[in-house]
Amino acid sequence: MKLLVCGGAGFIGSNFVRQRIAEHGDAVTVLDKLTYAGREENLADVRDAPGFAFVHAGIEDADAVADAIAGADAVVNFAAETHVDRSIAAPDAFITTHALGTFMLLEAARERGARYLQVSTDEVYGSIERGSFTEESPLLPSSPYSASKAGADLLVASYHHTYGLESLICRGSNNYGPYQYPEKLIPLMILNALHGDPLPVYGDGGQVRNWIHVEDFARGIGHVLAHGAPGETYNVGGPDEAVNIDVVRRIIALTGAPEDLIEYVADRPGHDRRYSLGSEKVRALGWEPRVRFDEGLERTVEWYRDNRDWWAPIRSGDYRAYYERQYGRSLGR
Ligand code: NAD
Ligand code: DAU
């Protein structure tokens, strides 16, 4: 299969590309704007694979997209601004990429007659106290990030309804694993714990997330691409949920850091309390997650311990300024 993978230099996209090349022998073109979160280093081990190509461009660039899509059987769109805190501080890029960028990709896929899969998130449903969201649950997003992702989902659905585009939507729960940028909870806590820096817990730390290992999510996306029904949405949730403060305590145990690094800080404005996805629909297609949270978290801590060359340039660059703005204090080293 020949795939155009947009946003393939980011965390989930690069894991997906690696999996498609190793397990399916796909020819992959990655189109990525290389924002702060996108890094060509994430694709270092697939760069020389047969049929691999990299295009440095934004999905909102119609000409670049038209060139990159030539010959593709399907488009998988990971390209997004993905950090909720950044969407609260500066929403502009979220709106451009999710609204305009998704529109440009849909137009290109329609013209070429390519299958189209939009990678989306459980956050479009908002927060749920008990039980789990199904694909029929109403969309009630809370942040500029999730609202603009929900808008993109609606546009994708309209292209199936109106033009008959073979489109699919996969809504994932919180991913973790290798190559995740250390602004997100798990890699941030692992690296801070390894360095003896404070572990900033928002509010009371009682929020709940449904964790999925990135390899399971990537496999779920591939499964929906192959077996999903056009026009349908599939929730792809993880096997375990956990309270934030327990996640932080598990990381403390795995890294051997002292418990007194935990520091309760101001809560995120509009912070969703709990996410939970029901994934029966994708399970009925034959997918199920393989990695339980305990095992996956241990593997993830090991990966960050063993891959200093990957994260050292991040922790020494612009990231330090971001960290200072976000937490009102500097990183130790
Ligand atoms: P990420 O921030 O690690 O990577 C995003 C990638 O998109 C980067 O490579 C970046 O350079 C690229 N990008 C951003 N704007 C672009 C643009 N305009 N044109 C082209 N490329 C652009 O994100 P991630 O965590 O890998 O998330 C990937 C997708 O999965 C997103 O759509 C996100 O909403 C969704 N998702 C993420 C999670 C999660 O827990 N991380 C969970 C569910 C769904
Ligand atoms: O649910 C899927 C979503 O998961 C994706 O769509 C998003 O792209 C992804 O960023 C993630 O969103 P969250 O807001 O859930 O992830 P984050 O890692 O930012 O935070 C996880 C939880 O941890 C959340 O309740 C906020 C809290 N947190 C986060 C950070 C960075 C802290 O307590 N302290 C922190 O320093």
Side-chain angles (χ1 to χ4, degrees):
M1 201 177 198
K2 189 164 168 22
L3 296 178
L4 173 60
V5 179
C6 302
F11 162 49
I12 307 174
S14 62
N15 277 284
F16 176 78
V17 168
R18 191 169 298 109
Q19 199 175 82
R20 293 306 302 187
I21 290 174
E23 296 176 16
H24 301 267
D26 287 342
V28 176
T29 297
V30 168
L31 181 140
D32 198 295
K33 195 173 183 173
L34 297 180
T35 65
Y36 74 94
R39 302 175 75 213
E40 276 193 89
E41 295 91 316
N42 294 353
L43 296 165
D45 52 346
V46 295
R47 201 163 29 210
D48 297 325
F52 179 81
F54 181 79
V55 179
H56 183 193
I59 54 171
E60 63 278 12
D61 178 343
D63 293 339
V65 168
D67 286 348
I69 202 173
D73 305 305
V75 178
V76 181
N77 182 28
F78 293 89
E81 291 290 335
T82 60
H83 198 42
V84 175
D85 295 319
R86 290 185 192 250
S87 88
I88 294 166
D92 314 44
F94 289 73
I95 311 305
T96 308
T97 294
H98 303 171
L100 187 61
T102 303
F103 165 65
M104 292 300 187
L105 281 185
L106 287 167
E107 280 293 299
R110 173 160 88 97
E111 192 163 314
R112 153 125 214 109
R115 194 167 247 241
Y116 180 96
L117 189 147
Q118 177 79 356
V119 181
S120 185
T121 168
D122 57 3
E123 297 200 17
V124 297
Y125 298 117
S127 191
I128 187 165
E129 253 179 61
R130 276 178 300 282
S132 301
F133 290 119
T134 72
E135 292 80 358
E136 307 305 319
S137 300
L139 303 189
L140 210 60
S142 311
S143 67
Y145 163 67
S146 51
S148 52
K149 288 292 288 183
D153 284 8
L154 295 177
L155 197 60
V156 172
S158 82
Y159 268 63
H160 174 74
H161 189 80
T162 306
Y163 304 115
L165 180 75
E166 278 195 28
S167 65
L168 300 143
I169 298 173
C170 272
R171 295 190 177 131
S173 60
N174 278 64
N175 278 238
Y176 69 101
Y179 301 95
Q180 187 168 32
Y181 195 81
E183 62 189 351
K184 307 292 199 297
L185 180 74
I186 288 183
L188 176 92
M189 295 296 170
I190 293 173
L191 293 184
N192 280 17
L194 291 176
H195 287 82
D197 281 324
L199 307 176
V201 173
Y202 295 168
D204 64 1
Q207 303 80 13
V208 176
R209 295 293 183 263
N210 173 195
W211 293 101
I212 184 166
H213 192 273
V214 65
E215 287 163 12
D216 278 333
F217 189 42
R219 200 169 284 111
I221 291 167
H223 201 83
V224 168
L225 186 64
H227 304 290
E232 294 294 317
T233 294
Y234 296 86
N235 291 342
V236 183
D240 298 294
E241 67 174 38
V243 179
N244 285 349
I245 189 65
D246 292 341
V247 174
V248 175
R249 291 217 167 93
R250 287 190 218 196
I251 290 170
I252 285 177
L254 288 166
T255 53
E259 180 102 3
D260 65 6
L261 287 182
I262 293 176
E263 193 172 281
Y264 289 91
V265 298
D267 207 353
R268 172 185 280 173
H271 198 172
D272 285 332
R273 194 71 181 166
R274 177 172 177 265
Y275 298 136
S276 179
L277 278 184
S279 307
E280 285 71 21
K281 192 169 164 183
V282 68
R283 283 171 182 261
L285 288 183
W287 169 89
E288 57 177 43
R290 298 177 186 170
V291 186
R292 298 302 300 265
F293 188 54
D294 278 342
E295 179 212 329
L297 189 61
E298 200 174 328
R299 272 168 51 190
T300 304
V301 169
E302 272 166 32
W303 189 86
Y304 281 89
R305 251 196 229 282
D306 294 347
N307 286 275
R308 188 188 180 84
D309 288 353
W310 182 85
W311 52 256
I314 298 176
R315 272 186 59 111
S316 63
D318 292 346
Y319 175 78
R320 295 185 87 81
Y322 159 76
Y323 190 90
E324 213 164 299
R325 276 197 309 278
Q326 177 62 27
Y327 298 105
R329 61 180 305 156
S330 333
L331 280 176
R333 280 169 287 138

